[in-house]
Amino acid sequence: NSSKLAKRQKGNDGNTNTVSNKVVDILEEATDHLPTADMYLESIHFVRDYVTKLLESDDDDGERKLISENIKDCNIFLDKLLRKAHDLEMKSARLVMEHANYLASMEKIEDAVNLLEEFVTTNDHSTEHVAVWVHLARMSEQLVPPRSGLPFLYKALKRIPMHDNGYKIILLELFDDLLTSQATVPNGMKKDKYISDLFEQILLLSPGEEYKVVGEKGDPLVDLPTRSVADACLQYLRYAFQGGGITAARKVYKVAIRSNYVQSIDGKTQGDMSALRDFFDECIRIEKTASKAHTKRKRNSEIKLHLRRLYDSAISLFSDSVLVDDFQQRRAEDVILA
């Protein structure tokens, strides 16, 4: 494997360059004999791992010079292979993202963005192409000057069917961008209304289980950094409270706790459950903070009502979890005994 080859760099004759040339020759022969996306990807990953091992080796100045030449040979091979894949019009999401990442590593961000945009606009939609849309939106923000990725996400929503697993992933990406930027929304809509509608749509498309985007063979596209609906709930709650105070925050959490997504643990990971615990904790903290601004009489009625609703929802969700005891105890302290 690549690790063993790297360790054998210093052979009996000390000729590091010979080993590297053999590696490249073997991979060139393999990709010429079997010019498929899978073979190209295997070769790319092999060379990348091989180069990493070379960089980790501890050698004298003479050996380092040879290793530097070997790495240069490997990069030339990668460049040649990726150009060939593009010329052969291989319709592989993984391969085009590898190509874009390579161009970005060579500080050719604009070329990388153009490559990804060409891929999504010239190929019929496939579920695994969602990863390319997300990659395109994020990489466009690395341009100089930065270019907003939102237009690409809006385009993606028009190209991807709503029933497609990737549709919600694009919604989540768009949702995060709108909450963390000063970007405007389309058609002259009010931004807060657009975000609110987007949030409700995300919850409606999230009956419980998180969607996963997979490749043609059913393997997860690990390249795709997906966002969690649970994280979106907490993120939106904080955004609303910061901009509109307790009234805006209540609107957010009421929509969330009425949704099937927050009412069920089905399909959720440990990370999702942890984020939902944080969501409820933040809701309760916000309510208790707001209560200090009210009179004692109002605090004993309205605030208790809101706290009870939150605790009841949390206890229902975490009924089969060790977390339920904590919420039950806090409900007793904050609602029943207060």
Side-chain angles (χ1 to χ4, degrees):
N1 58 31
S2 59
S3 179
K4 290 181 179 179
L5 279 172
K7 291 179 180 177
R8 286 165 45 198
Q9 283 295 325
K10 291 186 289 186
N12 294 331
D13 59 355
N15 193 343
T16 311
N17 204 41
T18 302
V19 178
S20 177
N21 287 339
K22 286 182 179 179
V23 170
V24 171
D25 288 345
I26 291 171
L27 292 177
E28 281 185 338
E29 183 178 349
T31 50
D32 286 342
H33 179 71
L34 191 62
T36 64
D38 284 345
M39 177 57 75
Y40 276 43
L41 285 166
E42 286 292 330
S43 299
I44 291 167
H45 296 158
F46 186 95
V47 169
R48 183 170 295 160
D49 184 49
Y50 176 63
V51 169
T52 299
K53 298 300 181 184
L54 288 178
L55 291 171
E56 292 174 350
S57 60
D58 185 19
D59 300 289
D60 56 35
D61 291 339
E63 285 297 325
R64 278 198 292 271
K65 183 178 179 180
L66 288 174
I67 288 174
S68 178
E69 292 175 357
N70 293 341
I71 293 173
K72 183 179 179 181
D73 288 342
C74 289
N75 284 332
I76 291 172
F77 168 74
L78 282 178
D79 185 78
K80 179 181 176 181
L81 188 67
L82 290 166
R83 286 176 183 273
K84 188 175 179 180
H86 181 261
D87 293 340
L88 292 174
E89 298 182 353
M90 292 185 175
K91 302 181 187 299
S92 166
R94 287 181 181 274
L95 193 53
V96 75
M97 287 191 293
E98 288 284 1
H99 196 170
N101 288 339
Y102 171 77
L103 291 172
S105 71
M106 304 299 288
E107 300 185 353
K108 298 180 180 180
I109 302 293
E110 188 170 354
D111 289 343
V113 169
N114 291 337
L115 178 74
L116 294 170
E117 187 172 11
E118 176 190 16
F119 182 87
V120 294
T121 54
T122 58
N123 289 297
D124 293 334
H125 172 71
S126 169
T127 298
E128 63 177 3
H129 293 181
V130 173
V132 184
W133 281 107
V134 173
H135 216 55
L136 172 58
R138 295 186 180 182
M139 194 164 281
S140 66
E141 296 172 354
Q142 300 175 31
L143 290 166
V144 181
R147 179 179 169 189
S148 173
L150 289 174
F152 294 121
L153 298 177
Y154 291 133
K155 286 182 181 178
L157 291 178
K158 292 179 180 178
R159 292 283 301 274
I160 303 170
M162 189 177 293
H163 62 78
D164 191 292
N165 287 354
Y167 189 86
K168 192 188 72 177
I169 289 174
I170 297 296
L171 287 180
L172 284 166
E173 190 74 17
L174 176 60
F175 187 72
D176 177 79
D177 278 5
L178 289 173
L179 293 185
T180 56
S181 73
Q182 300 298 318
T184 57
V185 296
N187 304 323
M189 293 182 62
K190 290 185 177 181
K191 186 175 181 179
D192 285 346
K193 178 66 167 65
Y194 187 86
I195 290 174
S196 175
D197 291 346
L198 200 61
F199 183 60
E200 291 193 34
Q201 188 178 12
I202 289 170
L203 291 174
L204 285 172
L205 292 174
S206 308
E209 183 175 358
E210 292 287 5
Y211 289 147
K212 295 179 175 61
V213 175
V214 298
E216 295 175 357
K217 296 182 178 180
D219 53 321
L221 279 182
V222 294
D223 322 70
L224 178 62
T226 57
R227 304 189 187 280
S228 161
V229 177
D231 288 330
C233 290
L234 178 59
Q235 183 183 21
Y236 189 27
L237 176 73
R238 289 171 173 165
Y239 172 88
F241 183 63
Q242 183 178 8
I246 187 62
T247 301
R250 282 174 181 160
K251 287 181 179 178
V252 171
Y253 79 61
K254 285 179 181 179
V255 170
I257 65 178
R258 285 198 302 263
S259 69
N260 290 332
Y261 178 80
V262 176
Q263 292 179 6
S264 170
I265 65 171
D266 293 343
K268 291 183 177 60
T269 65
Q270 185 175 352
D272 296 329
M273 296 301 287
S274 177
L276 286 174
R277 177 201 61 202
D278 293 342
F279 168 74
F280 277 107
D281 284 344
E282 187 71 359
C283 290
I284 293 165
R285 186 194 69 79
I286 288 173
E287 282 293 350
K288 293 172 75 171
T289 300
S291 72
K292 297 175 183 179
H294 296 299
T295 63
K296 183 177 180 181
R297 183 175 181 179
K298 190 171 185 179
R299 183 162 64 245
N300 285 338
S301 55
E302 181 184 346
I303 302 301
K304 273 191 176 183
L305 181 64
H306 292 301
L307 285 173
R308 182 184 294 275
R309 180 184 292 116
L310 286 168
Y311 277 121
D312 287 349
S313 297
I315 290 168
S316 175
L317 175 65
F318 296 107
S319 59
D320 295 326
S321 166
V322 294
L323 296 173
V324 71
D325 293 338
D326 175 60
F327 282 108
Q328 287 175 333
Q329 181 178 345
R330 287 159 60 190
R331 180 180 63 173
E333 295 171 354
D334 293 340
V335 179
I336 300 174
L337 302 178

